[in-house]
């Protein structure tokens, strides 16, 4: 039995996501220390003192900060990051002697708790007990865990984040170019359209640097965007052909691909519609 609580040190712990995870570990009974631009503790202090060192800084700063602390870590420590890209940060963490586990929380710091949230985990160099140590903290507070490799993570994020954000931004740009008044459009809306407009408005209310880094720094994004451009071009050809059979085949081809998800998707979006209608 341990004589003292485990200690987690969060570099960037004064930021929104850092504060969120500070609360997560505090709730689990861990001792928490943080470093930030205005804290007495430095990044080096945190790196040298904590059992688990967690890097929670903007994407573009992550590799630099990891390089700054790498030489001050030991084999007994666990080093993690919270970045929405994984391959490059994990490679940087592996230059340290520490045990390495990449983390990507699939939610923003505005989440009320871990309940119902997903955390993607990319173990790179660790023992099973290291993984259990961290995952128990998250799972006991209601998080779901997906374990994968850094490379597969980035490939999936190019679709889940990259494609989603690009299509949302492209829709926003199209509406702007067509000079559609947003407020007026909402008076014509169905609940589903209002949800779609809500996603556009929600994204545009966030930090542009965060979304720009997600898109620009993931090497798998350009390939997905090329496929998206081809898909839009093909769909335009189908629509402009005025051939109902071509559209039915296009639609059926995609319906087959999503066949196992259709009923769940309908049920989940019905719940969203009820929420919008009942407001």
């Amino acid at each position: 039995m341990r004589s003292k609580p485990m200690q987690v040190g969060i570099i960037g712990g004064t930021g929104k996501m850092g504060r969120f995870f500070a609360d997560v570990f505090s709730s689990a009974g861990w001792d928490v220390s943080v470093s930030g631009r205005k804290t007495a503790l430095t990044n080096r202090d945190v790196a040298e003192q904590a059992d688990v060192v967690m890097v929670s800084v903007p994407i573009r700063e992550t590799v630099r900060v990891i390089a700054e602390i790498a030489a001050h870590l030991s084999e007994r420590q666990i080093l993690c990051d919270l970045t929405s890209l994984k391959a490059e940060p994990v490679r940087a963490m592996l230059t340290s002697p520490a045990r390495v586990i990449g983390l990507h929380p699939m939610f923003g710091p505005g989440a009320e708790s871990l309940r119902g949230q997903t955390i993607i985990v990319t173990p790179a160099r660790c023992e099973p007990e290291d993984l259990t140590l961290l995952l128990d903290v998250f799972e006991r507070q209601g998080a779901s865990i997906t374990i994968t490799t850094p490379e597969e993570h980035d490939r999936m994020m190019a679709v889940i984040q990259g494609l989603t954000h690009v299509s949302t931004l492209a829709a926003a740009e199209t509406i702007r170019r067509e000079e559609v008044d947003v407020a007026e459009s909402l008076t014509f809306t169905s609940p589903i359209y209002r949800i779609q407009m809500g996603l556009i408005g929600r994204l545009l209310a966030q930090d542009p640097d965060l979304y720009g880094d997600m898109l620009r720094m993931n090497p798998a994004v350009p390939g997905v965007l090329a496929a998206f451009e081809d898909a839009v071009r093909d769909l335009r050809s189908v629509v402009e052909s005025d051939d109902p059979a071509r559209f039915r085949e296009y639609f059926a081809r995609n319906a087959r691909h999503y066949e196992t998800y259709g009923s769940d998707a309908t049920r989940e979006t019905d719940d969203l519609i009820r929420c919008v209608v009942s407001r």
Side-chain angles (χ1 to χ4, degrees), residues 39-78:
T39 59
L41 284 179
T42 66
N43 294 350
R44 178 173 176 172
D45 292 333
V46 168
E48 291 178 339
Q49 297 170 11
D51 300 304
V52 174
V53 178
M54 184 171 287
V55 177
S56 178
V57 298
I59 298 171
R60 69 185 69 162
E61 299 294 330
T62 299
V63 170
R64 179 189 62 78
V65 170
I66 292 169
E68 173 190 329
I69 64 169
H72 304 290
L73 297 164
S74 70
E75 294 178 0
R76 68 173 178 80
Q77 294 171 287
I78 299 172

Side-chain angles (χ1 to χ4, degrees), residues 197-216:
M197 287 294 285
L199 293 174
I200 294 173
R202 181 183 179 89
L203 187 153
L204 292 173
Q206 308 300 315
D207 177 7
D209 289 336
L210 172 63
Y211 289 91
D213 286 351
M214 284 183 192
L215 295 174
R216 293 185 300 99

